[in-house]
Amino acid sequence: MDVRHDTTAASVAAENAPAASEAGLKDDPIVSGAAPAGRNLLAHYREFLPVTEQTPLIGRGEGFTPLVRAHALEKRVGCAELWLKLEGCNPTGSFKDRGMVMAVAKALEEGAEAIMCASTGNTSAAAAAYAAAAQIKAVVVVSAGKIALGKLAQALIYGAVVIALDGTFDDALRIVREITARNPITVVNSINPYRLQGQKTAAFECSDVLGDAPDILAIPVGNAGNITSYWMGFREYRRAGRTTHLPRMWGFEAAGAAAIVENRPIENPDTVASALRIGNPANWQRAVRARDESGGLIDTVSDPEILDAYKLLAEGEGVFAEPASAASVAGVLKLAAAGEVKPTDRIVCVLTGHGLKDPQIALDVARDVVPAPNDVREVEKLLDLR
Ligand SMILES: *Cc1c(COP(=O)(O)O)cnc(C)c1O
């Protein structure tokens, strides 16, 4: 695999941009190009973000995630290039950090002392982390028993108040909307516009690293914020002359939670991909617009297709992403089999979260451990040696 990072002296020197209050935003010398981890995301893309002189440039190393070329998958799909955007490399292990850093920075700018969100898991981990970094309170509402172990551990250890609701994610979001509407608490779900603003930086990075937009951007769809963000980012970069064309947006919902594809809210969404277990996406109409304006599509992938792609990524590419993330690859494989991929296509699959978020699923689907007696010959025999 190629791993593309910019390691030029200039970009390294631009790491750790000074806080706005200390040095002013004018001082960040680098405004474009790929960058290594460590640079401040809000400073780097500030001309495209709602960053003002008063916005604190907080950060925990989010963004600038690797874009790696997946040669084995590329052959299987039959396209010119297939790249994986490894969003699991963000500080809390998912792309949610991009939006959360922006939302918390703006909340701080506006004097907020508490944030709140509903979450299938990763939003709660990110909210808890950035609230801790900013020294404000976080309250997260999750659907009881429906959150992956790693994500729950994160929210708790970062010090958030975690409420396990006897209801679905959609119930949790409704409750959070009501509470934040009548209390001095900032909602940091993707209905907060700053979340989408921060998340669009991933589209900038893909374009910066590839030198242009890809032909196809494949992405899992849950609450539909991320597909909306990428589309916004690609359009803004195109308008600014940083790219020569726009990608087609290919979004993939889990078959058991496919409100957009089925064109109706799903009352009890069900899928192995917990991050996609959403029955009434908050950014539904904007996702439909991204699909239609880009000449793209939103399709479903089944749980078996998701888990096949999940295993293929790990065994075939050495990339461990959580099941929801594998929906992007599952979708591209499905459409390739249906003849929808051209041999000239350059595709980016967004891998939204890290595989360690949900270790139980890995243990469930992977091969078993091999028990062995404490004896070198026996171990050799088990390995079919000698
Ligand atoms: C949040 C999330 C998604 C879904 O993103 P939306 O913006 O809600 O569509 C997909 N994968 C992972 C790992 C997530 O955390």
Side-chain angles (χ1 to χ4, degrees), residues 46-353:
R46 71 184 182 280
E47 67 179 291
F48 294 97
L49 294 172
V51 170
T52 70
E53 294 282 334
Q54 280 70 49
T55 310
L57 297 178
I58 57 172
R60 281 291 175 270
E62 60 288 331
F64 312 112
T65 56
L67 190 65
V68 300
R69 184 125 174 221
H71 290 289
L73 263 175
E74 197 169 278
K75 270 204 204 98
R76 201 181 272 254
V77 168
C79 59
E81 292 178 24
L82 195 147
W83 297 84
L84 305 172
K85 182 66 169 157
L86 303 187
E87 289 293 279
C89 294
N90 278 295
T92 78
S94 88
F95 76 85
K96 299 297 199 300
D97 293 343
R98 295 178 184 274
M100 200 56 70
V101 70
M102 186 77 251
V104 171
K106 294 305 281 186
L108 287 175
E109 183 178 340
E110 288 155 15
E113 287 170 8
I115 60 174
M116 187 169 185
C117 64
S119 178
T120 61
N122 282 331
T123 300
S124 71
Y130 286 87
Q135 294 287 288
I136 58 175
K137 282 200 206 90
V139 181
V140 307
V141 186
V142 302
S143 178
K146 298 286 190 189
I147 174 171
L149 190 65
K151 305 175 187 182
L152 181 60
Q154 286 179 294
L156 290 168
I157 198 68
Y158 288 127
V161 174
V162 177
I163 293 179
L165 188 75
D166 180 16
T168 63
F169 167 84
D170 303 282
D171 296 325
L173 183 55
R174 182 176 40 79
I175 286 172
V176 167
R177 280 185 198 251
E178 280 185 37
I179 291 177
T180 53
R182 58 169 174 252
N183 291 280
I185 307 176
T186 303
V187 60
V188 291
N189 280 104
S190 56
I191 50 177
N192 176 324
Y194 299 126
R195 281 277 310 280
L196 301 189
Q197 290 292 320
Q199 283 171 204
K200 76 187 178 187
T201 56
F204 299 159
E205 290 173 21
C206 291
S207 304
D208 286 339
V209 171
L210 295 176
D212 205 340
D215 299 312
I216 294 167
L217 190 285
I219 187 167
V221 174
N223 216 17
N226 214 24
I227 190 171
T228 303
S229 302
Y230 270 83
W231 183 235
M232 198 192 315
F234 283 122
R235 273 180 319 170
E236 289 181 13
Y237 244 33
R238 176 75 195 90
R239 214 176 302 132
R242 304 283 180 104
T243 52
T244 66
H245 65 98
L246 290 166
R248 277 174 288 148
M249 304 296 290
W250 282 9
F252 298 101
E253 293 188 303
I260 298 173
V261 172
E262 296 186 20
N263 200 24
R264 63 180 177 99
I266 308 296
E267 204 164 317
N268 289 303
D270 183 31
T271 166
V272 67
S274 58
L276 306 184
R277 213 175 277 146
I278 293 173
N280 191 7
N283 291 287
W284 186 325
Q285 290 315 319
R286 297 162 91 182
V288 167
R289 269 209 301 281
R291 176 193 71 192
D292 295 344
E293 288 174 10
S294 73
L297 54 84
I298 298 179
D299 199 352
T300 60
V301 283
S302 66
D303 280 3
E305 286 168 334
I306 288 172
L307 291 176
D308 282 350
Y310 169 74
K311 279 192 280 189
L312 197 65
L313 276 167
E315 292 179 2
E317 292 288 354
V319 173
F320 186 24
E322 66 171 280
S325 306
S328 62
V329 171
V332 167
L333 287 167
K334 177 181 169 181
L335 290 173
E340 296 290 328
V341 172
K342 289 198 288 286
T344 53
D345 280 335
R346 179 192 248 182
I347 303 176
V348 170
C349 290
V350 182
L351 298 185
T352 44

